[in-house]
Coordinates of all heavy atoms in Angstrom, one line a residue:
T1 N 149.3 100.8 111.0 CA 149.8 99.6 110.4 C 150.9 99.9 109.4 O 150.8 100.8 108.6 CB 148.6 98.9 109.6 OG1 147.9 99.8 108.8 CG2 147.7 98.2 110.6
Y2 N 151.9 99.1 109.5 CA 153.1 99.3 108.6 C 153.4 97.9 108.0 O 153.7 96.9 108.6 CB 154.4 99.7 109.5 CG 155.6 99.9 108.6 CD1 155.9 101.2 108.3 CD2 156.4 98.9 108.2 CE1 157.1 101.5 107.6 CE2 157.5 99.2 107.4 CZ 157.9 100.5 107.1 OH 159.0 100.7 106.3
L3 N 153.1 97.9 106.7 CA 153.2 96.6 105.9 C 154.3 96.6 104.9 O 154.4 97.4 104.0 CB 151.8 96.4 105.2 CG 151.8 95.2 104.3 CD1 151.9 93.9 105.1 CD2 150.5 95.1 103.5
D4 N 155.2 95.7 105.1 CA 156.3 95.4 104.2 C 155.8 94.5 103.1 O 155.5 93.3 103.3 CB 157.5 94.8 104.9 CG 158.7 94.5 104.0 OD1 158.5 94.1 102.9 OD2 159.8 94.6 104.5
E5 N 155.6 95.1 101.8 CA 155.1 94.3 100.7 C 156.3 94.0 99.7 O 156.0 93.8 98.5 CB 154.1 95.1 99.9 CG 152.7 95.1 100.6 CD 151.8 94.0 100.0 OE1 152.3 93.0 99.4 OE2 150.6 94.1 100.1
V6 N 157.5 93.9 100.2 CA 158.7 93.7 99.4 C 158.5 92.5 98.5 O 158.9 92.5 97.3 CB 159.9 93.6 100.2 CG1 161.1 93.0 99.5 CG2 160.4 95.0 100.7
H7 N 158.0 91.4 99.0 CA 157.9 90.2 98.3 C 156.4 90.0 97.7 O 156.1 88.9 97.3 CB 158.3 89.0 99.1 CG 159.7 89.0 99.5 ND1 160.7 88.5 98.7 CD2 160.3 89.5 100.6 CE1 161.9 88.7 99.3 NE2 161.7 89.3 100.5
G8 N 155.6 91.1 97.8 CA 154.3 91.0 97.3 C 154.0 92.0 96.1 O 153.2 91.7 95.2
V9 N 154.6 93.2 96.2 CA 154.3 94.2 95.2 C 154.7 93.8 93.8 O 155.8 93.2 93.7 CB 154.9 95.5 95.6 CG1 156.4 95.5 95.5 CG2 154.4 96.7 94.8
G10 N 153.9 94.0 92.9 CA 154.2 93.6 91.5 C 153.7 92.2 91.2 O 153.5 91.8 90.0
L11 N 153.6 91.4 92.2 CA 153.3 89.9 92.1 C 151.9 89.5 92.4 O 151.5 88.5 91.9 CB 154.3 89.1 93.0 CG 155.8 89.4 92.9 CD1 156.6 88.7 94.0 CD2 156.3 89.0 91.5
Y12 N 151.2 90.3 93.2 CA 149.9 89.9 93.6 C 148.9 91.1 93.5 O 149.4 92.3 93.5 CB 149.9 89.4 95.1 CG 150.7 88.2 95.3 CD1 152.0 88.3 95.7 CD2 150.1 86.9 95.2 CE1 152.8 87.1 95.9 CE2 150.9 85.8 95.3 CZ 152.2 85.9 95.7 OH 153.0 84.7 95.9
G13 N 147.7 90.8 93.4 CA 146.7 91.9 93.5 C 146.4 92.6 92.1 O 147.2 92.4 91.2
P14 N 145.3 93.3 92.0 CA 145.1 94.1 90.8 C 146.2 95.0 90.5 O 146.7 95.7 91.3 CB 143.8 94.9 91.2 CG 143.2 94.1 92.3 CD 144.3 93.5 93.1
R15 N 146.7 95.0 89.2 CA 147.8 95.8 88.7 C 149.1 95.6 89.5 O 150.0 96.4 89.4 CB 147.4 97.3 88.8 CG 146.1 97.7 88.2 CD 145.9 99.2 88.1 NE 146.0 99.8 89.5 CZ 146.3 101.1 89.7 NH1 146.5 101.9 88.7 NH2 146.3 101.6 90.9
G16 N 149.2 94.5 90.2 CA 150.4 94.2 91.0 C 150.5 95.1 92.2 O 151.7 95.3 92.7
A17 N 149.4 95.5 92.8 CA 149.5 96.4 93.9 C 149.8 95.7 95.2 O 150.1 96.4 96.2 CB 148.2 97.2 94.1
G18 N 149.9 94.4 95.2 CA 150.4 93.7 96.4 C 149.3 92.8 97.0 O 148.1 92.7 96.6
V19 N 149.7 92.0 98.0 CA 148.8 91.1 98.7 C 147.7 91.8 99.4 O 146.5 91.3 99.4 CB 149.6 90.2 99.7 CG1 148.7 89.2 100.4 CG2 150.7 89.5 99.0
A20 N 148.0 93.0 100.0 CA 146.9 93.7 100.7 C 145.8 94.1 99.7 O 144.6 94.1 100.0 CB 147.5 95.0 101.4
A21 N 146.2 94.5 98.5 CA 145.2 94.8 97.4 C 144.5 93.6 97.0 O 143.3 93.6 96.8 CB 145.9 95.5 96.2
R22 N 145.2 92.5 96.9 CA 144.5 91.2 96.5 C 143.4 90.9 97.5 O 142.3 90.4 97.2 CB 145.5 90.1 96.5 CG 145.0 88.7 96.1 CD 145.9 87.6 96.5 NE 146.0 87.5 98.0 CZ 146.7 86.5 98.6 NH1 147.4 85.7 98.0 NH2 146.6 86.5 100.0
D23 N 143.7 91.1 98.8 CA 142.8 90.8 99.9 C 141.8 92.0 100.2 O 141.1 91.9 101.2 CB 143.5 90.4 101.1 CG 144.4 89.2 100.9 OD1 144.2 88.5 100.0 OD2 145.3 88.9 101.8
N24 N 141.8 93.0 99.4 CA 140.9 94.2 99.6 C 141.2 94.8 100.9 O 140.2 95.3 101.6 CB 139.4 93.8 99.4 CG 139.1 93.3 98.0 OD1 139.4 93.9 97.0 ND2 138.4 92.1 98.0
Q25 N 142.4 94.9 101.3 CA 142.8 95.5 102.6 C 143.7 96.7 102.5 O 144.1 97.3 103.5 CB 143.4 94.5 103.5 CG 142.6 93.3 103.8 CD 141.3 93.6 104.6 OE1 141.4 94.3 105.6 NE2 140.2 93.1 104.1
M26 N 144.1 97.1 101.3 CA 145.1 98.1 101.1 C 144.6 99.5 101.7 O 145.4 100.2 102.3 CB 145.4 98.3 99.6 CG 146.6 99.3 99.4 SD 148.2 98.8 100.2 CE 148.7 97.6 99.0
H27 N 143.3 99.8 101.6 CA 142.8 101.0 102.2 C 142.9 101.1 103.7 O 142.9 102.2 104.3 CB 141.3 101.2 101.8 CG 140.4 100.2 102.3 ND1 140.4 98.9 101.8 CD2 139.5 100.2 103.3 CE1 139.5 98.1 102.5 NE2 138.9 98.9 103.4
R28 N 143.1 99.9 104.3 CA 143.2 99.9 105.8 C 144.7 99.9 106.3 O 145.0 100.1 107.5 CB 142.6 98.6 106.3 CG 141.1 98.4 105.9 CD 140.6 97.1 106.4 NE 140.3 97.1 107.8 CZ 140.1 96.0 108.5 NH1 140.1 94.8 107.9 NH2 139.9 96.1 109.8
V29 N 145.6 99.8 105.3 CA 147.0 99.9 105.7 C 147.5 101.3 105.7 O 147.3 102.0 104.7 CB 147.9 99.0 104.7 CG1 149.4 99.2 105.0 CG2 147.5 97.6 104.8
D30 N 148.1 101.8 106.8 CA 148.5 103.2 106.8 C 149.8 103.5 106.1 O 149.9 104.5 105.4 CB 148.8 103.6 108.3 CG 147.5 103.6 109.1 OD1 146.6 104.3 108.8 OD2 147.4 102.7 110.0
I31 N 150.8 102.6 106.1 CA 152.1 102.7 105.5 C 152.4 101.4 104.8 O 152.5 100.4 105.4 CB 153.2 103.1 106.4 CG1 152.8 104.2 107.3 CG2 154.5 103.4 105.7 CD1 153.6 104.3 108.6
V32 N 152.6 101.5 103.5 CA 153.0 100.3 102.7 C 154.4 100.6 102.2 O 154.7 101.7 101.7 CB 152.1 100.0 101.5 CG1 151.9 101.1 100.6 CG2 152.5 98.7 100.8
E33 N 155.3 99.6 102.4 CA 156.7 99.7 102.0 C 157.0 98.6 100.9 O 156.4 97.5 101.0 CB 157.6 99.5 103.2 CG 159.1 99.7 102.9 CD 159.8 98.4 102.5 OE1 159.2 97.3 102.7 OE2 160.9 98.5 102.0
G34 N 157.8 99.0 99.9 CA 158.1 98.1 98.9 C 159.4 98.2 98.3 O 160.2 99.1 98.7
T35 N 159.8 97.4 97.4 CA 161.1 97.4 96.7 C 160.8 97.6 95.2 O 159.8 97.2 94.7 CB 161.9 96.1 96.9 OG1 163.1 96.2 96.3 CG2 161.1 94.9 96.4
L36 N 161.9 98.1 94.6 CA 161.9 98.3 93.1 C 162.8 97.3 92.5 O 163.1 97.3 91.3 CB 162.3 99.7 92.7 CG 161.5 100.8 93.5 CD1 162.1 102.2 93.2 CD2 160.0 100.7 93.1

């Protein structure tokens, strides 16, 4: 799984870890990509 969290990181989830973290799915994502 390759998840683009560009519009999610910093904005959602615990500590701003993204939508996958909000949905308790980050551990199932193999590659997360984001922007600074």
Side-chain angles (χ1 to χ4, degrees):
T1 48
Y2 184 98
L3 177 61
D4 180 321
E5 280 265 25
V6 161
H7 296 275
V9 68
L11 304 172
Y12 298 91
R15 307 190 304 161
V19 180
R22 181 199 69 179
D23 297 346
N24 296 313
Q25 300 298 310
M26 186 61 78
H27 64 287
R28 304 176 73 193
V29 174
D30 294 297
I31 309 158
V32 59
E33 183 270 346
T35 181
L36 310 172

